[in-house]
């Protein structure tokens, strides 16, 4: 299946999480922090740390390690705190 | 920090009211010991919001106290800054103003009547049209039937404020002792308060202030001088950190009715505000369930609904936390501030219900004025301990 | 109707569900994951189907986050949202049951060090979960650090997923000390053989395994480029001059586990020393609430499953099924706990880590609170409890709600950290979801709720 990350089409497989897709592509960070504008990505891998936040289909604050991708998902880097669009 | 053996005054309870009382007493030169059975500033003061409101109060003694307190807060913060530095004085004070919104026509009448009455006693209250209100708060619902802007409303962070005042008490030679419960009083031969019992220890002192918040009734019973202070539960929702969405303190006009109500049933009306860290706080419910802390999802659900009604943009925003506390209230909904008529040396400062944060500095000042025999700025008569609602109806 | 709810489908929850089901009780088994298994039995998410089958009277509710537990007359109401994680359109559901088994497991404890907030620093469990579940290695050259036998399977999985493990740094004594003592403390421990295999894998790939060492710094501007490993003294203070710089693009660190306590606290179970207190039937202090697995103590998958079997049987008995004491499972629990105690004693966390931090090292990742800011708040305001500590320092107020920083911050500030686990909202829920009416399924009927059955063996 295909999803998009920051506008670029990416190949993904059934069952993969957003983090799985991105890490497999060598992408390590997909969020910047609110305070220090620092890059963050996966940390705990199991949904407890909320470091891996990403925006999916216009909805921010989605844990990339928990969210299983669906065909056509529009995934975007999350910059600090965002509102759903 | 060395432990003090005797004190001029022992304040029981290190919430915002105990902290403000101790601050004012130590500023008047007294040696103060503040004790709390838990962590200082860890009770109701850590379980509420930090609204410093004029807007929700009808003319009367509580509004008088609130007006004095609203003037005192920034002065107090400035004096703490001068005395202790910027870090301690960091209490997230934001004089951001409040916006009261009526979303249906029925609420407009009562809202403008209240605003008119408030203007007569000097509170700044500006009637706004729907468009004016939405210009002020762009994310506000378009279902605005009427709104009033209160530039005097403000906000601070209660735990920072309470701990700042306690730091001042320590700096002035007093002591703050956490995890220390007060069990009762010790009297001299003349029946005057001579000390307070803390576990195995007795601290000799000239006066005791009961600032036990919603537990003030319990302590008063232990002290042998019961007063009627009861808990009214409240819950708050906290969203994930957001970009700027809400500028002022925005609340629904039915909030004023809920505040004044004596109804036992659950009452929910939204108070929405952003905090310095970017979260939005959604308060608050009012419920009489004793000290029952059990979570009730229905309460959270109604908070969520009322918030989304005011700010539809919040619908997709995650809530990450909920917390709450027990507002200390008296049957006539006025605080109790003053000397106990039964025992010389016993004082009370409690019963501030949903306004203790706002009312704290004026309460501390009033108590210190009365204790030091100074002329108080606010008329203390309506806050007297020996009024019937507080002392005569006591069930022990 | 005889029915229980089990939360968590790891070794403990699966065993509990099976045990209760075998006694004729209907089970609703809820888990956030798409498949059964929890952490230990994490399945390949890319493969079709589920490896495990449970008895027919177990309803497995997958991809379901329990966000609140509410006490109701005669039991508890469990609130869940089902659907894509953190999505806005998940389906709401509320299930009531007189008996509840909590098997929510644990997560890695990560200690802070300079650079631990760089992308490329992961928990050991993250490396494990990504390798097992997603078939990806978190890096090409990975340093594994921390303490305890768990570091071995993590290193082995990384190798299996194609990474080069540069080094394994164990902060305590070598796990191989245990392996060399098969008749001693390790005798009968089923994990022993597994560990020998992992140690073999490491040896074959010539992975240096160093005891009394730790990763004390990660370097890089926007991603990990190298790390500093140092030898530690007995208290975990770095030994001066022992620092070595290793090129690596990833670090996986784990210093034991922290139980996922929020639902247990919401159900008002007593917690002592950081774990849920249970009796011989895995009953907690809250009537009708049973707990199993890492919630009650860290002891590995076998112990978790044994506890689950006991808890499931007890919960079935609580709702009226005829149940004989599961004596064999109970015996396995007792011996498992003895091994667990010995293991935990051998892999403590020592306070020397406090000195790995610099003033500007972040202690709370969500709110980006530095050690300096934390200490300043503590010193200037002298707070003595978690609630006020959070509010004056900001630590623990972010989206993870103190899951990652709570224990560390409490230790640095010198307060009891249990309060960090009080999270009445156990998992974030969007306001529109919360606002939605949610029909309650099969409410506990009044007659049933009147009966209170104790479970005593
Ligand atoms: C990331 C990670 C990887 C691990 N890998 C291994 C390994 O490879 N080998 C090994 O020996 N040990 C491993 N462990 C140790 C592990 O904790 C176990 O020994 C074992 O899995 C414990 O079993 P359990 O049933 O107690 O909990 P878990 O297996 O952790 O299962 C708990 C389950 O509860 C669910 N859950 C928790 N809260 C909620 C909620 N609010 N709503 C819905 N569901 C919820 C979780 O999704 C999870 O599936 C790992 C631990 C972690 C944290
Ligand atoms: C949800 C909610 C929202 C609120 N929002 C606002 C708001 O926006 N603005 C506002 O002004 N107010 C608000 N309030 C009200 C405000 O929080 C209270 O009025 C105020 O905190 C009361 O302070 P206190 O010092 O009297 O009580 P507390 O903070 O409860 O302090 C009393 C202390 O006494 C201690 N104590 C009790 N018994 C003993 C004993 N025997 N010995 C030793 N110590 C003892 C307790 O441990 C406690 O710390 C809100 C309250 C709630 C619950
Ligand atoms: S990596 Fe921790 S929540 Fe996703």
């Amino acid at each position: 299946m295909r999803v998009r990350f920051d506008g670029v089409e990416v190949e993904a497989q059934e069952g993969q999480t957003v983090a799985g897709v991105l890490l497999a592509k060598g992408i390590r960070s997909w969020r910047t922090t609110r305070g220090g504008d620092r890059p963050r990505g996966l940390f705990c891998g199991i949904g407890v740390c909320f470091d891996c936040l990403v925006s999916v289909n216009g909805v921010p604050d989605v844990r990339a390690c928990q969210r299983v991708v669906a065909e056509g998902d529009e995934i975007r880097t999350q910059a600090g705190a965002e509102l759903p669009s | 920090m060395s432990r003090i053996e005797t004190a001029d005054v022992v304040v029981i309870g290190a919430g915002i009211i105990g902290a403000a009382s101790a601050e004012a007493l130590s500023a008047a030169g007294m040696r103060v010991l503040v004790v709390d059975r838990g962590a200082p500033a860890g009770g109701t003061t850590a379980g509420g919001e930090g609204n410093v409101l004029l807007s929700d109060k009808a003319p009367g003694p509580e509004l008088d106290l609130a007006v004095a307190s609203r003037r005192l807060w920034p002065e107090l913060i400035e004096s703490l800054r001068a005395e202790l530095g910027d870090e301690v004085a960091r209490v997230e004070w934001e004089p951001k103003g409040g916006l009261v919104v009526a979303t249906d026509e029925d609420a407009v009448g009562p809202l403008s009547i209240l605003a008119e009455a408030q203007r007569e006693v000097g509170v700044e209250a500006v009637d706004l049209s729907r468009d004016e209100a939405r210009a002020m708060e762009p994310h506000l619902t378009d279902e605005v039937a009427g709104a009033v802007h209160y530039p005097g409303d403000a906000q601070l962070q209660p735990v920072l404020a309470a701990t700042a005042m306690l730091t001042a008490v320590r700096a002035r030679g007093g002591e703050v002792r956490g995890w220390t419960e007060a069990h009762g009083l010790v009297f001299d031969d003349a029946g005057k308060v001579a000390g307070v019992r803390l576990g195995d220890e007795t601290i000799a002192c000239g006066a005791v202030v009961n600032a036990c918040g919603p537990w003030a009734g319990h302590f008063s019973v232990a002290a042998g001088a019961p007063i009627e202070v009861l808990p009214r539960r409240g819950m708050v929702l906290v969203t994930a950190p957001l970009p700027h969405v809400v500028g002022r303190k925005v609340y629904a006009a039915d909030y004023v009715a809920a505040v004044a109500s004596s109804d036992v049933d659950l009452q929910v009306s939204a108070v929405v505000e952003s905090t310095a860290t970017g979260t939005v706080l959604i308060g608050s419910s009012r419920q009489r369930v004793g000290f029952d802390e059990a979570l009730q999802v229905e309460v959270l659900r109604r908070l969520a609904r009322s918030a989304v009604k005011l700010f539809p943009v919040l619908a997709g925003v995650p809530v990450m936390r909920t917390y709450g506390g027990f507002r200390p209230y008296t049957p006539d909904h006025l605080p109790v501030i003053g000397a106990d008529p039964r025992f010389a040396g016993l004082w009370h400062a409690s019963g501030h219900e949903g306004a203790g944060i706002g009312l704290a500095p004026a309460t501390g000042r009033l108590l210190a004025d009365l204790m030091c025999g100074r002329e108080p700025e606010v008329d203390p008569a309506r806050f007297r301990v020996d009024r019937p609602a507080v002392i005569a109806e006591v069930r022990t | 109707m005889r029915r229980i709810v089990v939360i968590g489908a790891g070794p403990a929850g699966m065993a509990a569900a099976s045990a209760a089901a075998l006694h004729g009780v209907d089970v609703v088994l809820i888990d956030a994951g798409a498949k059964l298994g929890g952490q230990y039995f994490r399945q390949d998410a890319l493969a079709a189907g589920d490896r495990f089958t449970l008895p027919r009277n177990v309803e497995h509710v997958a991809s379901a986050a329990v966000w609140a537990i509410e006490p109701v007359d005669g039991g508890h109401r469990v609130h869940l949202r089902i659907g894509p994680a953190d999505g806005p359109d998940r389906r709401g559901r509320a299930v009531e049951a007189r008996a509840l088994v909590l098997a929510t497991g644990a997560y890695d404890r990560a200690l802070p060090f300079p650079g631990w907030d760089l992308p490329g620093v992961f928990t050991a469990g993250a490396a494990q979960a990504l390798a097992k579940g997603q078939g990806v290695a978190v890096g090409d050259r990975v340093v594994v650090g921390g303490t305890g036998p768990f570091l071995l399977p993590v290193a082995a999985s990384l190798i299996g997923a194609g990474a080069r493990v540069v080094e394994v740094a164990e902060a305590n004594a070598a796990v191989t000390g245990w392996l060399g003592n098969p008749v001693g403390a390790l005798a009968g421990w089923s994990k022993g053989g597994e560990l020998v295999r992992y140690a073999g894998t490491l040896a074959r790939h010539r992975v240096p395994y160093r005891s009394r060492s730790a990763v004390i710094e990660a370097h890089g501007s926007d991603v990990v480029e190298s790390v500093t490993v140092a030898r530690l003294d007995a208290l975990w203070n770095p030994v001066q001059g022992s620092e070595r710089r290793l090129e690596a693009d990833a670090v996986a660190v784990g210093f034991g586990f922290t139980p996922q306590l929020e639902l247990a606290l919401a159900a008002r179970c007593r917690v002592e020393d950081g774990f849920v207190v249970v009796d011989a039937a895995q009953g907690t202090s809250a009537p009708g609430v049973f707990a199993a697995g890492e919630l009650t103590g860290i002891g590995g998958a076998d112990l978790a499953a044994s506890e689950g079997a006991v808890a499931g049987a007890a919960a079935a008995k609580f709702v009226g099924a005829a149940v004989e004491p599961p004596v064999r499972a109970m015996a396995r629990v007792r011996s498992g706990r003895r091994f667990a105690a010995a293991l935990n004693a051998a892999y403590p966390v020592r306070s020397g880590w406090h000195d790995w931090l610099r003033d500007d090292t972040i202690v709370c990742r969500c709110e980006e609170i530095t050690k300096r800011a934390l200490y300043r708040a503590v010193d200037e305001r002298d707070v003595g409890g978690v609630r006020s500590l959070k509010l004056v320092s900001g630590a623990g107020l972010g989206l993870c709600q103190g899951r990652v920083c709570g224990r560390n911050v409490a230790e640095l500030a010198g307060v009891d950290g249990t309060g960090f686990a009080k999270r009445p909202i156990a998992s974030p829920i969007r306001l529109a979801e919360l606002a939605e009416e949610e029909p309650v399924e099969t409410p506990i009927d009044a007659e049933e709720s009147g009966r209170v059955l104790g479970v005593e063996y």
Side-chain angles (χ1 to χ4, degrees):
Chain A
M1 79 173 80
R2 280 170 183 281
V3 299
R4 288 160 78 86
F5 176 64
D6 285 341
V8 179
E9 204 155 90
V10 182
E11 190 63 42
Q13 256 176 281
E14 191 89 33
Q16 271 189 306
T17 58
V18 171
V21 171
L22 297 179
L23 283 172
K25 289 272 166 298
I27 299 165
R28 301 296 201 87
S29 64
W30 47 81
R31 158 171 110 91
T32 53
T33 61
R34 218 164 80 239
D37 194 26
R38 298 289 299 151
R40 294 277 176 91
L42 187 95
F43 182 63
C44 76
I46 57 164
V48 304
C49 75
F50 292 79
D51 238 347
C52 61
L53 299 179
V54 69
S55 164
V56 179
N57 303 329
V59 179
D61 298 330
V62 172
R63 283 167 293 173
C65 70
Q66 297 298 97
R67 181 59 165 265
V68 177
V69 288
E71 177 71 51
D73 271 349
E74 207 40 81
I75 301 159
R76 290 200 164 272
T77 298
Q78 181 169 336
E82 292 183 2
L83 275 179
S85 61
Chain B
M1 153 76 63
S2 61
R3 285 161 75 91
I4 64 178
E5 309 279 319
T6 65
D8 296 323
V9 186
V10 175
V11 175
I12 323 276
I16 194 104
I17 298 298
S21 302
E23 191 283 329
L25 292 166
S26 65
M30 296 198 205
R31 194 163 137 95
V32 184
L33 169 65
V34 186
V35 298
D36 199 295
R37 66 176 173 198
T44 319
T45 297
E49 296 164 274
N51 298 317
V52 178
L53 299 187
L54 303 175
S55 51
D56 65 339
K57 294 171 185 72
E62 196 190 7
L63 182 58
D64 296 343
L65 197 62
V67 167
S69 227
R70 172 63 181 84
R71 205 199 63 243
L72 284 172
W73 260 128
E75 288 177 23
L76 179 58
I77 294 164
E78 275 322 302
S79 77
L80 292 176
R81 192 187 311 283
E83 187 180 343
L84 302 160
D86 288 345
E87 175 55 29
V88 173
R90 183 180 61 89
V91 300
E92 297 178 4
W93 171 256
E94 289 184 73
K96 50 164 66 167
L99 187 68
V100 185
V101 179
T103 47
D104 61 74
E105 289 298 337
D106 291 353
V108 178
L111 178 59
S112 38
I113 292 170
L114 176 66
E116 185 52 40
Q118 288 165 324
R119 277 190 288 267
E120 272 166 26
V121 297
V123 173
E124 205 182 333
V126 186
D127 291 325
L128 300 184
S129 69
R130 187 192 99 138
D131 291 347
E132 287 167 329
R134 296 196 70 213
M136 236 176 213
E137 293 291 342
H139 291 289
L140 192 63
T141 169
D142 53 16
E143 284 166 28
V144 178
V148 179
H149 178 218
Y150 291 87
D153 285 355
Q155 169 181 318
L156 50 68
Q157 211 262 45
V159 175
L160 288 175
T163 51
M165 294 189 286
L166 294 172
T167 297
V169 171
R170 278 192 293 268
R172 296 167 190 161
E175 188 194 333
V176 181
R177 213 179 278 178
W179 309 102
T180 304
E181 181 157 3
H183 297 288
L185 301 177
V186 179
F187 302 96
D188 65 13
D189 294 344
K192 187 185 172 311
V193 171
V196 55
R197 285 192 289 114
L198 308 172
D200 305 338
E201 197 185 355
T202 298
I203 296 276
C205 61
V208 167
V209 179
N210 171 13
C212 292
W215 303 278
H218 297 176
F219 179 75
S220 70
V221 171
I227 57 170
E228 182 95 331
V229 177
L230 299 158
R232 195 177 185 191
R233 188 171 192 212
M235 295 298 291
V236 177
L237 297 175
V238 188
T239 69
L242 302 177
H244 186 83
V245 193
V246 184
R248 287 158 194 78
K249 336 196 55 71
V250 182
Y251 62 89
D254 55 1
Y255 176 78
V256 180
V259 171
S261 158
S262 303
D263 210 328
V264 183
D265 289 341
L266 169 63
Q267 304 201 330
V268 175
S269 55
V271 181
V272 183
E273 74 215 7
S274 57
T275 69
T277 56
T279 57
V280 167
L281 301 186
I282 298 165
S284 56
S285 57
R286 284 159 199 273
Q287 218 181 352
R288 303 216 171 133
V289 288
F291 283 102
D292 185 358
E293 286 197 348
L295 179 76
Q296 292 185 341
V297 167
E298 181 58 23
V299 174
L300 308 187
R301 176 157 294 140
R302 289 179 50 185
L303 283 169
R305 280 187 193 145
S306 54
V308 172
K309 194 167 164 200
L310 277 182
F311 288 97
V313 66
L314 293 177
V317 161
V319 178
M320 61 173 184
R321 193 157 75 96
T322 181
Y323 66 89
F326 297 96
R327 302 178 186 85
Y329 79 93
T330 62
D332 62 4
H333 298 284
L334 286 175
V336 200
I337 308 162
D340 191 287
R342 292 159 291 192
F343 299 119
L346 174 62
W347 300 73
H348 302 278
S350 181
H352 294 75
E353 200 157 348
I357 310 305
L359 299 176
T363 298
R365 183 70 66 91
L366 175 56
L367 189 82
D369 285 345
L370 293 171
M371 226 184 252
C372 301
R374 294 185 302 224
E375 180 68 31
E377 179 193 344
V378 179
D379 179 5
R382 288 297 309 281
F383 309 116
R384 290 170 65 99
V385 180
D386 60 0
R387 62 189 202 259
V390 169
I391 215 165
E393 289 176 17
V394 168
R395 303 182 296 262
T396 48
Chain C
M1 194 186 44
R2 287 179 184 157
R3 182 162 95 139
I4 68 162
V5 169
V6 178
I7 306 174
M14 285 201 299
S18 300
L22 291 178
H23 288 101
V25 170
D26 287 341
V27 180
V28 181
L29 172 62
I30 306 166
D31 195 283
K35 294 184 182 186
L36 294 164
Q39 302 307 345
Y40 182 74
F41 292 127
R42 179 177 291 279
Q43 304 189 47
D44 179 356
L46 280 50
D50 204 303
R51 222 175 92 197
F52 299 100
T53 38
L54 292 172
R56 264 212 319 277
N57 46 341
V58 177
E59 182 201 357
H60 172 212
V61 187
S63 307
V66 174
W67 65 271
I69 289 185
E70 185 179 21
V72 293
D73 263 356
H76 288 88
R77 186 179 298 163
V78 176
H79 296 264
L80 42 154
R81 302 297 301 186
I82 307 160
D86 301 328
D89 307 311
R90 297 175 296 174
R91 186 162 65 82
R93 194 173 157 185
V95 193
E96 285 189 0
R98 288 173 47 224
L100 210 60
V101 178
L102 302 177
T104 49
Y107 54 89
D108 295 78
R109 177 171 186 189
L111 297 179
F113 53 82
W116 77 309
D117 52 324
L118 279 173
V121 178
F122 304 95
T123 65
Q128 181 74 337
L130 267 287
K132 269 189 178 177
Q134 300 281 312
V136 277
V138 292
D140 294 327
R141 292 175 54 89
V142 190
V143 176
V144 175
T147 190
F150 182 50
L151 302 183
L152 298 185
V154 170
S157 299
L158 280 164
I159 292 169
R164 156 123 194 262
V165 176
V166 179
E167 179 165 321
V168 177
E170 161 64 60
N172 283 302
V175 170
T176 44
W178 281 69
L179 298 177
N181 181 15
V183 280
L186 216 65
W189 190 45
S190 54
K191 275 283 172 13
E194 225 176 287
L195 286 184
V196 172
R197 270 205 319 283
Y198 297 135
T201 307
L202 260 58
R204 267 199 315 286
H205 288 84
R206 298 180 191 289
V207 176
Y209 176 92
R210 292 187 208 277
S211 57
R212 306 220 173 279
S213 318
V215 174
I216 58 161
E217 183 161 5
H219 312 272
S221 50
D222 283 338
V223 67
V224 173
E225 288 157 16
S226 65
V227 301
T228 298
V229 175
R231 274 185 63 76
L232 304 179
D233 68 14
L235 292 174
W236 289 21
N237 296 304
V239 174
Q240 288 276 320
S242 72
E243 297 86 353
R244 287 173 300 124
R245 192 88 166 226
L246 301 177
E247 299 288 309
D249 64 352
V251 197
V253 283
F255 291 87
F257 296 94
T258 302
Q260 194 87 266
L261 285 176
E262 56 274 336
L263 294 180
L265 289 175
R268 296 196 258 185
C269 303
R270 196 152 61 88
V271 168
E272 260 173 30
D273 299 326
F275 294 100
V276 177
V277 180
V278 288
D279 60 22
Q282 301 295 131
T284 69
S285 64
V289 183
F290 301 83
E294 311 277 56
L295 265 189
T296 70
I298 303 305
D302 290 336
L303 175 58
S306 304
E307 289 192 353
V310 174
K317 183 163 194 268
F318 191 90
V319 297
V323 176
E324 288 300 313
V327 282
R328 288 173 54 193
M330 289 166 82
R332 285 199 305 275
V333 168
R334 283 193 302 273
S335 62
R337 286 207 185 127
R338 279 197 300 276
F339 295 128
L343 205 62
N344 292 328
Y347 297 99
V349 171
R350 305 280 184 202
S351 62
W353 68 265
H354 302 187
D355 291 331
W356 305 352
L357 278 60
R358 284 199 283 266
D359 275 356
D360 63 352
T361 304
I362 279 172
V363 290
C364 162
R365 300 170 64 96
C366 297
E367 297 300 287
E368 299 170 87
I369 307 297
T370 60
K371 172 183 153 184
R372 182 194 299 115
L374 175 70
Y375 278 170
R376 193 190 283 162
V378 171
D379 293 345
E380 303 244 342
R381 297 181 191 266
D382 194 35
V383 289
V386 164
R387 209 175 185 187
S388 35
L389 175 64
K390 278 163 59 172
L391 289 162
V392 301
S393 69
L397 285 181
L399 261 166
C400 95
Q401 290 291 292
R403 284 174 172 90
V404 175
C405 70
R407 273 174 88 177
N408 301 335
V409 164
E411 194 179 312
L412 290 170
V415 304
D416 173 19
T418 313
F420 274 106
K422 258 185 121 176
R423 304 176 191 106
I425 293 187
S427 170
I429 175 165
R430 296 188 191 264
L431 273 164
E433 295 181 292
L434 182 51
E436 205 177 280
E437 198 66 57
E438 181 187 61
V440 179
E441 291 168 36
T442 58
I444 297 169
D445 68 60
E447 206 177 304
E448 285 272 289
S449 73
R451 283 193 302 151
V452 175
L453 293 169
V455 179
E456 268 173 37
Y457 295 131

